[in-house]
Amino acid sequence: MGKPMHKEEEVERFSRQIQSMFNAIAPRYDLLNRVLSCGVDQYWRKRAIRRLAWKPGGRYLDLACGTGDVALEYFERRDGCPGQVCALDFSEAMLRQAGVKFQNRRPPTLLPRFCAAAEALPFREKSFDGISVAFGARNFADREQALREMVRVLKPGGCAVILEFSLPREPLLREAYRAYFDRVLPRIGGWVSGHADAYTYLPESVGEFPERVEFAEMMRRAGFDRVRHRDMTFGIVTLYVGTQDA
Ligand SMILES: C[S@@+](CC[C@H](N)C(=O)[O-])C[C@H]1O[C@@H](n2cnc3c(N)ncnc32)[C@H](O)[C@@H]1O
């Protein structure tokens, strides 16, 4: 029998798996997002960014930025982005895609990018006025540690928005959604990306993610104040908001 693994080893191993999975699917990631969500994913990100308290000259962090779609939304706001936006992800391939996207933007836009883990953010405490995470929290190997890190780098008065998949509350809808998520989505995802495992992992990780109230409680335990959440699109996505009032 093998030696039992310590929590740190488990976290490390899971992190490496997730990192290589996202490196592998990065080139087709945007295409699949659009196809599998019928384009609604961009609307979710826009809504999340609109909920961030906006401060002229402020500093914002998009955590688990992937190919930079959320970071782009900061600049697409009708009232314009009043400050600096940084993006962080532990997948180099995802960060490369984000870099290309920002270079091709008109006008080309500077996006400082950081390759690091959400559980050990390379920033001083009280660095940011706002933080966004879209569809990243589900993948964090040590979710509580990542949330504590977010609280640490938020300035007093700062706000965080976390967008994550959830299951609809209405039983019939929940069944229909599960059928799509468990049977249809992994096939299309696997076929287009060439990485079937990644799109089998997606419904599994959504099923394993804490219920809304439980995740909100986890945010409070990590140090967030005024935590609230609201369903979007029949509850298939939930937007969590928390502040750092201290
Ligand atoms: C489903 S994608 C979401 C990307 C982007 N936010 C979006 O809305 O499309 C999840 C991203 O989280 C990143 N990620 C997962 N775990 C991470 C961790 N522990 N630290 C940093 N990035 C992580 C992955 O590399 C991936 O790019």
Side-chain angles (χ1 to χ4, degrees):
M1 214 161 68
K3 265 203 309 190
M5 262 201 284
H6 291 295
K7 187 186 171 205
E8 297 88 70
E9 286 174 313
E10 250 177 74
V11 164
E12 186 66 36
R13 202 172 73 145
F14 181 74
S15 251
R16 273 200 303 272
Q17 279 172 0
I18 299 297
Q19 194 178 22
S20 69
M21 181 184 84
F22 280 108
N23 275 331
I25 64 171
R28 293 280 170 100
Y29 178 78
D30 283 351
L31 169 69
L32 272 162
N33 269 355
R34 300 298 107 80
V35 171
L36 295 173
S37 77
C38 304
V40 194
D41 60 313
Q42 284 168 308
Y43 161 78
W44 294 328
R45 293 187 185 89
K46 210 179 277 302
R47 287 282 304 276
I49 293 307
R50 268 200 243 144
R51 286 297 301 273
L52 269 186
W54 229 214
K55 203 168 161 194
R59 269 190 96 201
Y60 299 89
L61 172 66
D62 184 42
L63 194 53
C65 66
T67 59
D69 274 355
V70 179
L72 261 189
E73 288 302 335
Y74 281 86
F75 297 93
E76 302 291 328
R77 271 176 65 131
R78 248 177 284 139
D79 50 356
C81 178
Q84 188 198 19
V85 181
C86 300
L88 180 142
D89 202 290
F90 70 2
S91 155
E92 285 187 6
M94 286 287 197
L95 286 171
R96 260 198 305 279
Q97 299 282 335
V100 171
K101 201 174 274 179
F102 270 72
Q103 252 165 27
N104 292 339
R105 187 171 184 268
R106 290 286 161 260
T109 309
L110 179 73
L111 178 70
R113 286 168 291 145
F114 297 84
C115 191
E119 292 86 349
L121 295 177
F123 306 111
R124 294 213 185 112
E125 53 189 52
K126 303 184 174 73
S127 294
F128 295 100
D129 298 283
I131 303 179
S132 50
V133 190
F135 311 110
R138 190 169 32 89
N139 305 292
F140 295 158
D142 189 339
R143 223 167 269 147
E144 303 214 7
Q145 171 62 14
L147 289 172
R148 281 194 293 272
E149 279 290 86
M150 289 168 70
V151 172
R152 181 182 70 77
V153 303
L154 261 185
K155 290 183 191 171
C159 175
V161 291
I162 302 178
L163 203 53
E164 197 46 89
F165 286 115
S166 44
L167 295 172
R169 297 170 197 260
E170 207 278 309
L172 269 180
L173 206 56
R174 198 179 172 106
E175 281 310 303
Y177 179 66
R178 277 241 76 126
Y180 169 72
F181 228 50
D182 293 344
R183 295 194 212 118
V184 182
L185 184 146
R187 284 198 191 153
I188 304 176
W191 178 59
V192 178
S193 71
H195 297 277
D197 289 358
Y199 288 87
T200 313
Y201 161 79
L202 174 58
E204 281 171 8
S205 63
V206 174
E208 178 272 338
F209 193 71
E211 276 292 332
R212 298 156 175 86
V213 177
E214 212 183 308
F215 185 66
E217 190 46 43
M218 195 183 280
M219 286 178 70
R220 282 187 200 101
R221 271 204 311 275
F224 278 106
D225 301 300
R226 290 186 285 144
V227 176
R228 56 243 186 245
H229 56 91
R230 85 182 269 190
D231 285 3
M232 290 165 70
T233 318
F234 309 112
I236 62 176
V237 162
T238 300
L239 178 64
Y240 300 86
V241 181
T243 54
Q244 151 66 293
D245 292 346

